[in-house]
Amino acid sequence: MKNSNGFKVSGVIVAGFLIIAGLSGCSSEKVVSENVDVRVGYFPNITHSQALVGREQGSFQKAIGTKNKVMWKLFNAGPAEVEALFAKAIDIAYIGPGPAINGYSKSKGDIQIVAGATDAGAIFVSKKGMVIKNLKDLSGKKIGVPQFGNTQDLTLRNILSENGLKDKTKGGTVEVRQASNADILSLLKKGDIDAALVPEPWGSRLIKEAGANVILDYKELFRKGNYTTAVVVVRTEFLKEHPLIVENFIKAHVDVTTYINNNPGIAKVIVNKQITELTKKGIEKDVLDAAFKRLTITNNPEKDSVLDFVKFSLQEGFLRLNPDTKNLFNLTILNKVLKEKGQVQIK
């Protein structure tokens, strides 16, 4: 369902919601660990909107209590965030499903997905003057992705496979190039690549600044847009040691999710303020508005889509062995919180 500002509301909204003002006084505070530094990894991206809004409003700090401290750790790439989790340099992270899967597999379960964050938020475009009406026409084309093995790359490779195509490294006819989103913009402008599958707000920037044409919009890429772009993960050891801290963190995450969906105009301003502060460059309002229309803010990690990404990672060789995924998700706390708040639980 969309509201008048273009945000898609995810889950059942609690009537009369007030953003987590009372969480610091919840009953678990009486027995929660004290003097714990809760180190949280996140990106300066709109796909990590809960982290950005919650950081700005102090929501997570209120939730975990005054005797503990949230320490925000900024990242720009999923693999670096996974390494920080392995090194116990961070405890909780907003991260893409691809790195989350790799981290879980490599660590044999030391990282678990405890909530969803955003769905969709990506777009497939071609360079100015090139219109792709039949996906088989991608044969012979050069296509940019932000990172091999990430959500957009896996989505692209699935699209190619469904149309009888594959990249040149697999003996196919499509050249898939890895480049930063900023470099993809430059490459597409110059015509050095023919197309790109990128996350927002970069897709909207490619349309505005490079004159790109839409090949597939976010709902056409995969599962009608019901695929995860960012999830919340926690170190399993940290969860075992501090379950009530994690529970309070998830309470804040759920409340911030509701706040964003109830207050999209304000939330977008906050997100852009945080991105400007962290990167020294904000997002133009029209680009931001277009980008958020392709994004779903949610608590649902879209389990089926993550398991599909596991399959794609195996098919493309990003995973060597098929991981046992029975403990990849730990949604017990999330569902407890959702039940308490009268929201739909995740199956």
Side-chain angles (χ1 to χ4, degrees), residues 222-346:
F222 183 48
R223 297 177 61 87
K224 297 182 180 180
N226 297 314
Y227 59 92
T228 190
T229 299
V231 295
V232 182
V233 300
V234 64
R235 289 194 298 109
T236 306
E237 181 183 28
F238 186 83
L239 176 57
K240 289 178 180 177
E241 291 176 350
H242 306 292
L244 293 174
I245 286 179
V246 175
E247 181 176 335
N248 286 344
F249 185 93
I250 291 176
K251 284 180 180 179
H253 172 78
V254 169
D255 281 344
V256 173
T257 298
T258 302
Y259 177 82
I260 293 172
N261 281 317
N262 271 358
N263 303 276
I266 297 171
K268 283 187 283 188
V269 171
I270 294 171
V271 167
N272 206 14
K273 179 177 182 291
Q274 280 284 306
I275 290 173
T276 304
E277 176 185 318
L278 295 166
T279 67
K280 309 306 177 188
K281 186 175 182 180
I283 303 170
E284 294 181 26
K285 185 180 183 302
D286 57 341
V287 171
L288 189 68
D289 289 342
F292 265 108
K293 288 178 182 178
R294 297 189 173 99
L295 190 69
T296 302
I297 307 296
T298 181
N299 302 304
N300 190 339
E302 304 290 356
K303 292 171 65 174
D304 288 343
S305 75
V306 175
L307 296 177
D308 279 340
F309 286 133
V310 172
K311 181 177 68 176
F312 300 159
S313 294
L314 280 166
Q315 290 173 349
E316 299 299 332
F318 296 113
L319 287 176
R320 294 183 180 179
L321 299 174
N322 190 3
D324 181 353
T325 57
K326 67 179 181 181
N327 294 316
L328 174 58
F329 297 91
N330 186 344
L331 304 182
T332 303
I333 294 177
L334 174 63
N335 280 325
K336 177 186 176 184
V337 170
L338 292 173
K339 183 178 181 180
E340 288 174 353
K341 295 179 178 298
Q343 298 192 35
V344 177
Q345 297 178 64
I346 309 301

Side-chain angles (χ1 to χ4, degrees), residues 69 75 111 131 140 156 171 179 199 202 319 338:
K69 184 178 181 181
F75 293 86
I111 298 169
V131 177
L156 172 65
W202 289 96
L319 287 176
L338 292 173

